[in-house]
Amino acid sequence: MDPSIILDYIPKQLLPSLGIPLVELLPDLCLGWWTPPSLDVNKYNRLKYLRILLLIVAWFPVFEMLFPIVQESSIYSATVIFAVLSIIARPLLMEKQIKRVTSMGLWNAVLPKDKREALWIVVTSSKPSDINKFDELAVRYINSPTKVAGVVLCIIFSQLYEKLPDMDDKIKLLSGLTACIVGGIGIGGDSLLCFII
């Protein structure tokens, strides 16, 4: 299949946004939203500022296209602010989570991959009890940026749904939302939006 056929259906200004699903499909680049399967968390943490920059670059054309569609400036402003906050907050909170895990003596021991994965799941699933320490308080809200990003997706889809006159287009949009939800549950990510739009 000729790739140019696909590009005919994707606005050229959205091409940078295709980087989002690309880095999620190549998780060991450590540039995606989620921690890599290799659990190379130190590399993931080192690249946090690059990850923030790439996400903002990828989201910019989405909001550029959305600007003339959303008539209420307050909704548009809130959507942009929420998206930027989630992009910035996620790696910063993850840094606290990574420090929490890697400070454990057991993590620094020589462990097979399956046991290291199990340790990561156990530690990251348990919420810190000492909320008087800022680092532990931050870790308690590690999933908040993902929830905020989910709200941004819902706002964008609702705005697009209202502007589409044709029912077939609305069904396609709802199919895209379904794909985002399934992708979020199946692969732990909700960043298929840019690819679908």
Side-chain angles (χ1 to χ4, degrees):
M1 181 178 179
D2 187 0
S4 62
I5 296 175
I6 298 174
L7 294 177
D8 289 339
Y9 293 96
I10 301 173
K12 288 184 172 56
Q13 60 264 45
L14 278 183
L15 290 180
S17 303
L18 295 179
I20 291 180
L22 178 64
V23 296
E24 296 297 344
L25 291 172
L26 302 170
D28 286 333
L29 291 175
C30 295
L31 293 174
W33 186 267
W34 309 99
T35 49
S38 64
L39 289 181
D40 188 355
V41 291
N42 291 322
K43 179 181 177 184
Y44 182 85
N45 196 31
R46 284 196 309 272
L47 296 174
K48 61 180 177 291
Y49 296 116
L50 177 59
R51 196 159 49 252
I52 291 172
L53 177 63
L54 291 176
L55 279 169
I56 290 175
V57 168
W59 274 93
F60 179 80
V62 175
F63 287 112
E64 186 182 22
M65 292 190 69
L66 197 64
F67 180 72
I69 297 173
V70 181
Q71 294 179 347
E72 293 187 36
S73 59
S74 59
I75 293 177
Y76 180 80
S77 300
T79 305
V80 173
I81 290 169
F82 286 159
V84 172
L85 284 177
S86 66
I87 289 170
I88 293 173
R90 169 70 180 180
L92 298 180
L93 292 177
M94 275 302 299
E95 181 182 15
K96 305 298 183 186
Q97 180 80 284
I98 289 169
K99 284 182 179 178
R100 178 177 175 232
V101 176
T102 55
S103 63
M104 297 178 60
L106 189 56
W107 179 264
N108 297 312
V110 178
L111 292 173
K113 186 180 178 184
D114 57 340
K115 291 187 178 178
R116 190 171 293 276
E117 288 175 353
L119 179 62
W120 172 266
I121 292 169
V122 169
V123 176
T124 55
S125 298
S126 62
K127 291 190 175 181
S129 56
D130 188 357
I131 60 172
N132 294 318
K133 293 181 179 178
F134 175 76
D135 286 2
E136 296 205 7
L137 181 63
V139 170
R140 287 182 70 88
Y141 296 100
I142 188 70
N143 293 321
S144 298
T146 304
K147 293 174 183 177
V148 172
V151 171
V152 169
L153 285 175
C154 291
I155 293 173
I156 291 174
F157 274 105
S158 66
Q159 292 298 313
L160 292 175
Y161 187 85
E162 290 176 6
K163 303 301 178 186
L164 291 174
D166 187 49
M167 184 54 69
D168 288 341
D169 291 334
K170 289 184 176 183
I171 291 173
K172 289 177 184 176
L173 182 67
L174 291 174
S175 300
L177 178 58
T178 304
C180 279
I181 294 171
V182 171
I185 295 170
I187 64 172
D190 58 6
S191 55
L192 297 172
L193 167 74
C194 298
F195 181 73
I196 291 164
I197 289 182

